[in-house]
Amino acid sequence: MNFEHLLFAVEDGIATVTLNRPKALNALNSALLTELSELVDAIAKDASIGAVILTGAGEKAFVAGADIAEMQGKTPLEARAFSQFGNSVFSKIERMPQPVIAAVNGFALGGGCELAMACDIRIASTHAKFGQPEVNLGIVAGFGGTQRLPRLVGPGIAKELLMTGDMITAERAAQIGLVNHVVEPAELLPKAQEIAAKMLSKGPFAVRFSKKLVNEGINMDLERALALESEVFGTLFGTEDRLEGMTAFLEKRPAKFQGK
C-alpha cells in the first residue's frame, strides 16, 4: 500500500503506522486523515496483524495538531464537517479489533493529543509534550478532546487543560493517567514493540475482546456492563485457545495459541 502522508510496515504481526508530514510537524489535514482512514480499514480486516503502533515522523512531533492553514478559511458548516470526519477516523482507531499503541515522540497537541487518546495505550518519549490549545485559537477541541480527555484523567483536570490551553510534559501526563509509560527517546519504539509483542503472545480472542469490553462497558451502567462481560467470558470457553491456555497452565508450559 502506497501513501503520500503515511509510512506503513508490518513485522512479526505488528503494524507500524508513521504519520509522515515532518515539515508540517505531522499536522492533520484532510489528505492525511483520508489516508489514515483507508489504512485503518485495511488493517482492521487483516487477521495477520495482531497489534498496531502509531507514531510520527521526525524527532519534533507526534502530531502538532490539525492543519490550521487548511482550517483558516472554513465556513461554520465546513468546520463542522471537518470535525465530524476527524472524529469518524479516530473512532475507527478506537474500535478496530487490534490493540493500538501510540508512541508519542514529540508534540502531541490538539488533534495530536486527541489521536493519541483514541489509541488504547500511550507511551511517551521524555521529550513529548501534550495539550489541547484550541482555546488559544478561539475554538474548542474538535476531534474528541472534550470527551476522551475527561474519561481518561477526570473532569477537573480535563477542564483545566481544555480551558487554559496549557501544555504539559510527558511526566505530568503520566501522573494524571494520560500516558502509560515515559521512556527515553531511543527506547520509545522498542518499548512499544515490547508491549505489542507481549499482547501477541496471549490469546488473540482474549486480547481483542478485552479491548471491546472496556470500550463498550465504560459507556454502560455497571449492571449491563457486567452482563456483557459474563456473556463474552462464556463465549470464549467455546474456543480452542481457551482449552490450550488452561491445559498449558496445568501442564506448566507456555501456551501455543492459534486464534481458534
Side-chain angles (χ1 to χ4, degrees):
M1 301 178 73
N2 295 317
F3 297 100
E4 182 180 357
H5 302 301
L6 297 174
L7 302 176
F8 176 59
V10 180
E11 185 175 355
D12 297 327
I14 302 170
T16 300
V17 178
T18 305
L19 285 75
N20 190 33
R21 295 186 71 210
K23 292 183 179 179
L25 299 181
N26 304 318
L28 300 171
N29 62 7
S30 297
L32 191 157
L33 286 169
T34 299
E35 289 186 357
L36 184 59
S37 180
E38 293 171 357
L39 181 54
V40 167
D41 285 340
I43 292 172
K45 297 174 184 176
D46 192 337
S48 70
I49 296 175
V52 181
I53 297 170
L54 186 63
T55 193
E59 298 179 357
K60 294 183 178 180
F62 172 68
V63 172
D67 193 322
I68 297 173
E70 179 180 332
M71 291 193 296
Q72 168 68 18
K74 290 189 182 298
T75 66
L77 286 177
E78 290 169 340
R80 183 175 68 181
F82 186 57
S83 171
Q84 290 171 334
F85 179 50
N87 273 321
S88 73
V89 177
F90 291 6
S91 291
K92 282 185 183 182
I93 293 170
E94 193 169 55
R95 292 192 303 261
M96 65 194 303
Q98 298 94 336
V100 184
I101 301 169
V104 182
N105 50 314
F107 292 115
L109 304 175
C113 188
E114 290 165 309
L115 177 57
M117 289 191 290
C119 299
D120 300 298
I121 293 171
R122 285 154 294 283
I123 303 169
S125 156
T126 52
H127 294 170
K129 305 285 187 182
F130 295 82
Q132 297 290 161
E134 288 86 354
V135 290
N136 295 323
L137 304 175
I139 59 174
V140 299
F143 290 169
T146 65
Q147 302 307 309
R148 289 192 178 93
L149 189 57
R151 284 168 166 79
L152 285 168
V153 306
I157 293 175
K159 287 175 183 176
E160 179 181 353
L161 292 173
L162 289 162
M163 293 191 286
T164 64
D166 284 350
M167 186 166 58
I168 61 173
T169 64
E171 289 76 12
R172 176 59 178 157
Q175 289 172 357
I176 64 177
L178 182 56
V179 164
N180 296 67
H181 302 277
V182 179
V183 297
E184 293 298 323
E187 299 171 10
L188 182 63
L189 283 179
K191 181 65 174 178
Q193 291 161 351
E194 173 193 334
I195 293 174
K198 183 177 289 187
M199 290 176 175
L200 262 61
S201 74
K202 311 303 179 183
F205 292 132
V207 170
R208 293 188 178 202
F209 274 104
S210 292
K211 170 175 177 171
K212 182 179 177 69
L213 284 168
V214 171
N215 284 352
E216 294 188 7
I218 201 168
N219 293 314
M220 296 179 179
D221 62 74
L222 183 59
E223 184 176 357
R224 288 195 301 142
L226 291 174
L228 178 62
E229 180 183 84
S230 294
E231 185 68 27
V232 172
F233 183 78
T235 298
L236 292 185
F237 266 69
T239 66
E240 293 180 22
D241 279 353
R242 189 279 306 177
L243 182 60
E244 165 62 12
M246 291 189 173
T247 301
F249 177 84
L250 294 173
E251 294 178 353
K252 296 180 171 57
R253 62 172 174 81
K256 297 179 181 179
F257 296 112
Q258 301 295 322
K260 297 179 180 179

